[in-house]
């Protein structure tokens, strides 16, 4: 009791002294942490997508949240989201959306031209720091098709024969009648993404097959992928597969608590085992001291575990593993001479932390500091009268989440470090109440949401709500706002666990392991101590869309007015004397899926043209090839495009009756904005079944027809008004006008029983309900209702968002019979 009391008194005295006068040691730490933190953006971007498995002609619904922002929210105006194919890093779509008060919501339409496969949604805001986005949010998704013109597969042959100098890959292609697809064109390359190889070509033989032989020495170790495209009658099938490499070395790492194994000092040692592809392995092993077994140790299914050891200076320690995955001996780090160290028995705690100090006597001044890489919370000198001490440390000054405790000497050198999670019990509670859990098709669902005012202090919360078909959510690719905020933005490359922060305080072994093993990866002590005031100066800018007005392809020599038509709003911008102009977000804000038109007055329009520079698209292009995307099919030896077809339990059986027309480009078929347009006239105009002119949602619908001059159709560029069609000259873009995508406003989600006045949503939908912005409070429940659709099965309700100063996540389920 006396030790605890002495500690509390010391903290009080130092905090008081710092408040009243200068404490050089603490002031220096505070200044360096400020400089180090200010050089790195603290803003975090999280996006809630309705699901992560989609098909063509669906919408991706989302809400984006700015978290931990360190700037005025008004500086964040635009959110840009790009759809990127994993293997070749091709950008298929890029849309921009309005950000208001740190929130952005909208939808992205997936056109028929998208091939099935694995993609990433890459998102960032208009704010960049040191020529990089302040934060990038990646969401892996899968796109499946409802139907297939032909099927293909990619298979590794005798890949386990490591004695062979070559790896053989078999390509097969079959028609829907299971006949060989003879003569199809094949493009393939080894080493995709950030290390793209040479594109090779071949043709399928009479059996619809081809074999590729690859030298093992030509397979890049860091990017051992083959990417294959099969082309037949205008349709493309994409496939990729991980290739075996010559050296399949697993990763086995040991992490002594505090940083070192110290002679004659008790130490907890974390260890992690992964395959050469990075997958965690659950495994057992024997721990040896010299030639004697002293323990049997294990890792969990997350590839992590821990054991206790009191090393001797005269001994060596090794781990021997004998399994189908790994066969070998692995040395532990060599122990060092006695030095001060710290340990924590439980790192996931409420409001008090028990810290054990060892070997702190016979040392000069030592200090314990509690911090994040950019902020100091507590600092005090250690009582060195006793070699071993236990300190009960109140955490009232620390925010919720992961922080670090570091033991340093008077020269500010770290001797021992450890992570811990403070106030783990203070998770906001959200109650989801349903009128029942089992429903018939087309039946009303009553939903009530309320913050729990007893268990949490939070009064308000802004959340987004989705109800989607459960098998349209691949939990391996899921992101929840709590895990992202408290773990993924802090720790690098953590093993996947679904909703790890929903575990009880007493049973969160996963979190205990990663706090012991993973370390503070955003934080670098040497970099922090070397930081200086000039490091806090970041070059902050905002991405823009600008352009140049040209005449006869040369810059103009006078200021000129440009007309801007955004939806039905009309505006004017003026160029400078050299034709340069900038498009502000408010100049080009439009409703979802609408466009912006730039044009000149008729009397001055001759031989003028526009050159647009979209910095958002340029930034996406710059980073798409550099970003690392996880391969979720890493252990497979076969890739089959049939796996990317929607199965019967993922949709309603009536979808099998869809009639598909050939993708061969015909005389009256045009390609516009990346969408295949069917049944259009000679200049690309068409009318969908809802009498909408050039409706992007139905661009590939066989029921489309060419418009007739004089008939009235809805014009999306003019707010959906009925207007007479004057002929295809109305669509053709002359050199003196330009159409571009605008910055989109949020669009209303139309439920299964509510048809859009402009666009009929697909009849069989997997997203039953989406609400991008709901304000909850702890006093009154908020009620919603929606109807089930025609798809039977399990549906998941997800509610997530931010509270007054925290984030919140909750889910529930219903079943449709």
């Amino acid at each position: 009791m006396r030790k605890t009391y002495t500690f509390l008194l010391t903290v009080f005295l130092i905090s008081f002294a710092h408040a009243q006068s200068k404490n050089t040691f603490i002031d220096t730490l505070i200044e360096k942490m400020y400089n180090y933190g200010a050089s790195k953006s603290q803003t975090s971007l999280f996006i809630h997508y309705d699901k992560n498995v989609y098909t063509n002609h669906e919408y991706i619904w989302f809400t984006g949240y700015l978290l931990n922002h360190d700037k005025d929210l008004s500086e964040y105006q635009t959110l840009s989201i790009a759809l990127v194919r994993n293997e070749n890093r091709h950008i298929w779509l890029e849309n921009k959306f309005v950000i208001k008060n740190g929130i952005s919501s909208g939808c992205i339409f997936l056109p028929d031209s998208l091939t099935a496969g694995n993609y990433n949604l890459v998102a960032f805001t208009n704010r960049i720091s040191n020529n990089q986005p302040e934060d990038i949010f990646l969401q892996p998704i899968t796109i499946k098709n409802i139907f297939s013109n032909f099927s293909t597969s990619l298979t590794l042959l005798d890949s386990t024969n490591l004695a062979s100098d070559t790896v053989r890959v078999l390509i097969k292609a079959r028609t829907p009648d299971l006949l060989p697809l003879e003569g199809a064109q094949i493009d393939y390359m080894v080493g995709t993404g950030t290390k793209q190889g040479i594109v090779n070509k071949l043709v399928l033989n009479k059996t619809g097959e081809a074999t590729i032989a690859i030298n093992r020495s030509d397979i890049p170790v860091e990017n051992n992928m083959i990417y294959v495209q099969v082309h037949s009658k205008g349709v493309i099938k994409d496939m990729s597969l991980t290739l075996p490499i010559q050296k399949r070395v697993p990763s086995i790492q040991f992490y002594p608590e505090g940083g070192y194994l110290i002679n004659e000092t008790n130490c907890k040692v974390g260890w992690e085992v992964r395959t050469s592809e990075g997958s965690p392995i659950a495994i057992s092993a024997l721990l040896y001291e010299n030639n004697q077994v002293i323990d049997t140790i294990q890792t969990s299914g997350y590839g992590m575990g821990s054991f206790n050891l009191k090393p001797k200076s005269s001994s060596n320690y090794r781990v021997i593993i004998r399994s189908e995955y790994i066969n070998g001996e692995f040395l532990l780090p060599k122990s060092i001479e006695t030095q001060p160290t710290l340990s924590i028995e439980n790192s996931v705690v409420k409001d008090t932390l028990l810290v054990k100090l060892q070997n702190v006597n016979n040392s000069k001044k030592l200090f314990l500091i509690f911090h994040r890489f950019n902020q100091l919370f507590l600092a005090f000198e250690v009582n060195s009268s006793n070699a071993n001490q236990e300190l009960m440390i109140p955490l009232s000054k620390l925010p919720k989440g992961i922080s670090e405790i570091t033991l340093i000497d008077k020269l500010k050198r770290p001797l021992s470090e450890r992570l811990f999670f403070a106030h783990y019990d203070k998770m906001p509670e959200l109650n989801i109440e349903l009128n029942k859990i089992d429903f018939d098709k087309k039946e009303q669902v009553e939903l009530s949401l309320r913050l729990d005012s007893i268990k949490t202090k939070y009064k308000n919360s802004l959340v987004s709500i989705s109800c989607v078909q459960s098998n349209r959510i691949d939990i391996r690719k899921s992101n929840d706002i709590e895990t992202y905020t408290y773990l993924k933005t802090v720790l690098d490359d953590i093993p996947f666990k679904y909703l790890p922060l929903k575990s009880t305080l007493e049973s969160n072994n996963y979190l205990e392991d990663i706090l012991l093993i993973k370390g503070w990866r955003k934080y670098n002590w040497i970099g922090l101590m070397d930081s200086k005031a000039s490091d806090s100066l970041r070059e902050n800018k905002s991405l823009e869309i600008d352009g140049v007005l040209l005449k006869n392809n040369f810059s103009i020599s006078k200021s000129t007015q440009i007309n801007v038509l955004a939806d039905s709003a009309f505006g004017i911008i003026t160029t400078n004397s050299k034709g340069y102009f900038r498009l502000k977000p408010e100049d080009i804000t439009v409703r979802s899926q609408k466009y912006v038109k730039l044009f000149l007055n008729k009397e001055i329009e001759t031989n003028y043209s526009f050159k647009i520079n979209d910095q958002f698209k340029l930034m996406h292009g710059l980073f798409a090839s550099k970003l690392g995307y996880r391969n979720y099919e890493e252990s497979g030896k076969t890739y089959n495009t049939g796996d990317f077809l929607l199965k019967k339990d993922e949709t309603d059986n009536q979808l099998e009756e869809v009639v598909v027309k050939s993708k061969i480009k015909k005389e009256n078929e045009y390609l516009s904005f990346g969408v295949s347009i069917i049944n259009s006239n000679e200049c690309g105009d068409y009318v969908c079944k809802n009498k909408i002119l050039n409706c992007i949602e139905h661009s590939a619908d066989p029921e489309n027809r060419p418009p007739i001059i004089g008939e009235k159709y809805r014009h999306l560029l003019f707010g959906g008004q009925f207007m007479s069609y004057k002929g295809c000259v109305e669509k053709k873009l002359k050199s003196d006008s330009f159409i571009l995508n605008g910055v989109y406003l949020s669009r209303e989600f139309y439920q299964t029983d509510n048809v859009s006045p402009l666009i009929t949503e697909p009849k069989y939908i997997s997203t039953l309900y989406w609400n991008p912005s709901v304000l909850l409070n702890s006093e009154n429940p908020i009620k919603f209702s929606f109807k089930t659709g025609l798809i039977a099965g399990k549906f998941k309700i997800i509610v997530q968002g931010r509270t007054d100063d925290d984030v919140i996540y909750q889910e529930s389920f219903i079943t449709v019979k």
Side-chain angles (χ1 to χ4, degrees), residues 35-240:
N35 293 334
Y36 187 82
S39 66
K40 305 177 185 303
S41 172
Q42 308 306 309
T43 303
S44 175
L45 171 66
F46 177 83
I47 300 182
H48 173 196
Y49 294 98
D50 61 326
K51 54 200 175 201
N52 54 41
V53 178
Y54 296 90
T55 187
N56 308 87
H57 286 272
E58 278 193 316
Y59 284 98
I60 297 173
W61 298 93
F62 74 89
T63 298
Y65 300 90
L66 283 176
L67 308 170
N68 307 318
H69 48 83
D70 54 359
K71 292 186 179 67
D72 183 355
L73 283 176
S74 63
E75 297 185 15
Y76 300 91
Q77 299 174 322
T78 308
L79 174 69
S80 177
I81 303 178
L83 179 66
V84 182
R85 179 82 188 203
N86 286 13
E87 292 89 353
N88 59 4
R89 304 305 198 263
H90 176 69
I91 299 175
W92 282 84
L93 298 168
E94 190 270 339
N95 289 167
K96 301 174 191 67
F97 302 89
V98 172
I99 299 177
K100 188 174 183 180
N101 298 324
I103 301 291
S104 180
S105 61
C107 59
I108 301 169
F109 181 71
L110 298 176
D112 181 65
S113 56
L114 287 174
T115 59
N118 293 312
Y119 294 76
N120 260 272
L121 292 164
V122 182
F124 50 76
T125 74
N126 58 291
R127 297 294 305 174
I128 60 173
S129 178
N130 296 332
N131 296 317
Q132 296 188 39
E134 285 190 345
D135 191 53
I136 297 176
F137 185 83
L138 296 179
Q139 175 60 57
I141 68 169
T142 300
I143 294 180
K144 295 186 176 184
N145 292 147
I146 297 174
F147 55 86
S148 178
N149 302 76
F150 60 90
S151 62
T152 60
S153 65
L154 196 63
T155 306
L156 290 177
L157 300 177
D158 53 29
S159 61
T160 57
N161 182 12
L162 299 180
S164 173
D165 292 332
T166 61
V167 175
R168 294 188 303 153
V169 179
L170 175 65
I171 303 171
K172 288 184 179 181
R174 297 289 183 265
T175 67
D177 298 328
L178 301 181
L179 297 176
L181 192 67
E182 180 184 356
Q185 176 73 41
I186 306 298
D187 295 338
Y188 74 91
M189 65 181 177
V190 177
T192 64
T194 55
K195 291 188 176 180
Q196 293 187 10
I198 299 173
V199 177
N200 302 278
K201 296 182 180 295
L202 52 87
V203 177
L204 294 183
N205 59 23
K206 292 183 178 180
T207 64
E209 298 180 358
T211 301
I212 302 172
I214 306 165
N215 291 327
R216 287 185 185 270
S217 59
D218 293 335
I219 301 174
V221 176
E222 296 179 357
N223 199 4
N224 54 320
M225 297 283 294
I226 182 171
Y227 174 50
V228 177
Q229 283 190 333
V230 181
H231 303 255
S232 178
K233 297 181 179 179
V235 179
I236 298 175
K237 297 287 185 180
D238 295 277
M239 299 183 290
S240 63

Side-chain angles (χ1 to χ4, degrees), residues 131 260 282 419 491 627 630 639 658:
N131 296 317
Y260 306 97
L419 296 182
L491 303 173
L627 294 172
R630 179 179 172 184
Y639 186 109
V658 172

Side-chain angles (χ1 to χ4, degrees), residues 538-696:
R538 289 184 286 163
E539 185 182 2
N540 298 317
K541 294 189 297 184
S542 182
L543 294 174
E544 297 177 346
I545 301 175
D546 53 19
V548 178
L549 179 62
L550 306 174
K551 184 171 184 177
N552 297 319
N553 295 321
F554 292 98
S555 298
I556 64 174
S557 57
K558 63 178 180 178
S559 178
T560 305
Q561 287 188 336
I562 299 174
N563 301 314
V564 181
L565 181 64
D567 264 354
S568 57
F570 183 83
I572 296 176
I573 57 175
T574 304
T575 73
N576 65 11
S577 59
K578 295 184 178 180
Y580 172 83
F581 61 92
R582 182 167 67 92
L583 296 171
K584 299 178 182 179
E586 56 268 27
D587 295 331
I588 56 174
T589 297
V590 295
R591 289 171 292 170
S592 180
Q593 310 304 322
K594 305 300 187 296
Y595 304 107
V596 176
K597 183 176 181 180
L598 307 181
F599 59 97
L600 302 179
N601 294 327
K602 290 184 178 180
E603 59 269 19
I604 61 170
E605 65 183 5
T606 306
N607 297 325
Y608 281 84
S609 61
F610 296 90
K611 182 179 180 180
I612 302 298
N613 173 41
D614 188 335
Q615 296 179 6
F616 292 91
K617 290 184 177 180
L618 292 175
M619 186 64 72
H620 276 296
L622 178 65
F623 280 92
S625 62
K626 297 180 180 180
L627 294 172
Y629 302 139
R630 179 179 172 184
N631 177 23
Y632 289 88
E633 283 69 42
E634 55 208 1
S635 61
K637 296 181 180 179
T638 299
Y639 186 109
N640 194 317
T641 56
D643 296 335
F644 292 91
L645 283 175
L646 284 183
K647 298 177 175 56
K648 289 184 179 181
D649 64 343
E650 293 179 302
T651 185
D652 187 86
N653 289 338
Q654 295 187 46
L655 279 175
E656 296 175 1
E657 301 173 3
V658 172
V659 177
V660 183
K661 289 199 174 184
S662 170
K663 296 290 182 175
I664 302 175
K665 186 175 179 180
K666 299 179 181 178
E667 189 174 329
N668 66 337
E669 182 175 336
Y670 284 74
L671 191 68
S672 176
F673 302 106
V675 182
S676 178
I677 299 174
I678 293 177
N679 296 335
S680 59
N681 63 14
E682 64 273 17
C683 62
D685 285 343
Y686 63 95
V687 177
C688 76
K689 56 190 175 184
N690 298 316
K691 293 189 175 182
I692 301 174
L693 181 67
N694 301 325
C695 169
I696 190 171

